[in-house]
Amino acid sequence: MTQQGRARACANIALAKYWGKSDETLNLPAVPSLSITLDALVTETVVTLDPGLFEDEVLFDGVVRSGDDATRAREMLGRIRERAGSAVCARVETVNHFPTASGLASSASGFAALAAAGASAYGVDAPLELLSAWARRSSASAARSLYGGFVELSAGLPGDDSLSARVVADAHHWDVCVVIALASLERKKTSSRDGMLETARTSPFYPAWLACAPGYFLEVREGVLARDLERVGEAMEASTFAMHASALAARPAVRYYAAATAVLLDCVESLRARGIAAYSTMDAGPHVKVLCMAGDALAVRDALVASGGAVDVRIARPGPGLTR
Ligand code: DP6
């Protein structure tokens, strides 16, 4: 009988950002973060045990991969094998159902789906918290993608490998959308991992980021629970710009925005001036994601398209957690 496991997980966008680590070996975040899991960005992963393999084979969208993502996938499978007491290697087939070949981060959904598919292929009965902790070890934002809706991940205590994410509110809690404006189709130059490590090593503003980030997180959390878009939006923008400011002050600068990013940010400000509550966030890339009420999502999309700053604009809603 083939030993196979499969799982689906959605990507997430942080409203309060994780940037920096308290323990690089265990990949623990230095600050708490809170995200929305998004229904429009889905990764499906199948793990199949194959005694004929000498090394795990990792395929993304049908293409064999050998870079950093493949190494992290092998490391995760290694941890699952240790738990299962198995020495058999596996084939990992991952398909991203993302709007385009977009440069949007797929590692969060990818590692969340891999943890679950790997555990079931190796017959390990792992609760969601353990899957979330495994996903976090590969990519901290991935810990949040095991869960649907609004999800938090605390800062990690150095040495505590058990850290996992938690649900703050489910996907039906609040009728918001995230409108995703892609500023370019190019792949990002500096990964979030390298960007945050460089920031921590060389940016004089990193200590200020560490001091401010927990406050932004609390504001976002309270705002989400109260369904207060203005409170969440303002704190989200503060978290976003403080994270990017700390990265920009690294030597050399870690810069993710592009010319089109500024066009999109201006567009969101002018939407607000017209009375539409819309707020921007950016991650380790030039794209702008806009938080707004579901009823305003089409108007926000149309304005972003008309701004000329986007190559593609999609609307996403709060989405589900892991499905197997
Ligand atoms: C800017 O989770 O990709 O998207 O743990 O090193 O893999 P690693 O980093 P990663 O960083 C995500 C950073 C962010 C903000 C966030 O998602 O919280």
Side-chain angles (χ1 to χ4, degrees):
M1 199 187 77
T2 326
Q3 286 174 292
Q4 194 174 67
R6 57 177 67 229
R8 283 163 68 99
C10 298
N12 68 76
I13 298 286
L15 307 178
K17 303 294 174 187
Y18 144 56
W19 195 249
K21 300 175 195 294
S22 61
D23 182 327
E24 286 182 30
T25 311
L26 298 182
N27 201 39
L28 294 164
V31 297
S33 59
L34 195 154
S35 58
I36 306 190
T37 303
L38 298 179
D39 66 348
L41 312 176
V42 181
T43 298
E44 263 187 291
T45 297
V46 179
V47 174
T48 311
L49 304 202
D50 184 343
L53 290 174
F54 293 104
E55 185 182 47
D56 299 314
E57 192 172 82
V58 182
L59 291 96
F60 284 8
D61 294 322
V63 180
V64 176
R65 293 288 282 258
S66 56
D68 182 47
D69 282 346
T71 307
R72 288 201 228 174
R74 287 195 187 99
E75 284 169 1
M76 180 184 296
L77 289 176
R79 287 191 281 274
I80 298 173
R81 267 194 290 272
E82 208 177 293
R83 186 92 174 192
S86 168
V88 180
C89 289
R91 180 171 304 101
V92 176
E93 291 162 285
T94 284
V95 178
N96 286 319
H97 300 286
F98 278 37
T100 54
S102 63
L104 275 173
S106 56
S107 61
S109 48
F111 287 117
L114 177 61
S120 62
Y122 282 97
V124 176
D125 187 16
L128 269 184
E129 303 83 71
L130 182 57
L131 297 177
S132 173
W134 281 341
R136 187 264 305 146
R137 185 76 187 260
S138 298
S139 190
S141 55
R144 302 184 307 236
S145 272
L146 271 305
Y147 301 97
F150 301 82
V151 183
E152 67 184 354
L153 179 66
S154 306
L157 291 172
D160 177 10
D161 201 15
S162 70
L163 181 73
S164 62
R166 278 187 301 269
V167 174
V168 172
D170 72 21
H172 306 291
H173 166 71
W174 194 18
D175 205 11
V176 288
C177 278
V178 176
V179 185
I180 301 164
L182 296 179
S184 102
L185 295 181
E186 277 171 36
R187 290 199 70 78
K188 63 185 167 195
K189 292 187 213 91
T190 309
S191 69
S192 31
R193 174 153 304 180
D194 291 347
M196 68 177 80
L197 292 177
E198 278 312 305
T199 303
R201 268 185 213 120
T202 67
S203 172
F205 295 174
Y206 182 64
W209 160 253
L210 293 182
C212 294
Y216 303 138
F217 164 80
L218 285 178
E219 277 182 64
V220 166
R221 192 178 196 285
E222 283 167 18
V224 164
L225 290 172
R227 301 187 188 91
D228 181 342
L229 182 60
E230 192 179 332
R231 187 159 165 73
V232 174
E234 282 179 1
M236 177 184 79
E237 289 199 345
S239 171
T240 302
F241 289 115
M243 174 206 126
H244 283 271
S246 72
L248 277 169
R251 293 183 71 165
V254 175
R255 177 173 70 84
Y256 291 110
Y257 68 82
T261 313
V263 172
L264 295 164
L265 294 175
D266 282 349
C267 172
V268 174
E269 270 187 31
S270 62
L271 277 167
R272 280 212 295 275
R274 279 168 39 204
I276 297 180
Y279 297 88
S280 301
T281 188
M282 298 167 298
D283 294 293
H287 316 303
V288 175
K289 296 114 183 186
V290 184
L291 182 70
C292 62
M293 295 312 298
D296 288 329
L298 291 176
V300 170
R301 184 197 62 190
D302 291 349
L304 291 166
V305 169
S307 76
V311 291
D312 190 25
V313 182
R314 297 293 166 118
I315 297 172
R317 288 174 165 275
L322 180 76
T323 45
R324 288 186 256 209

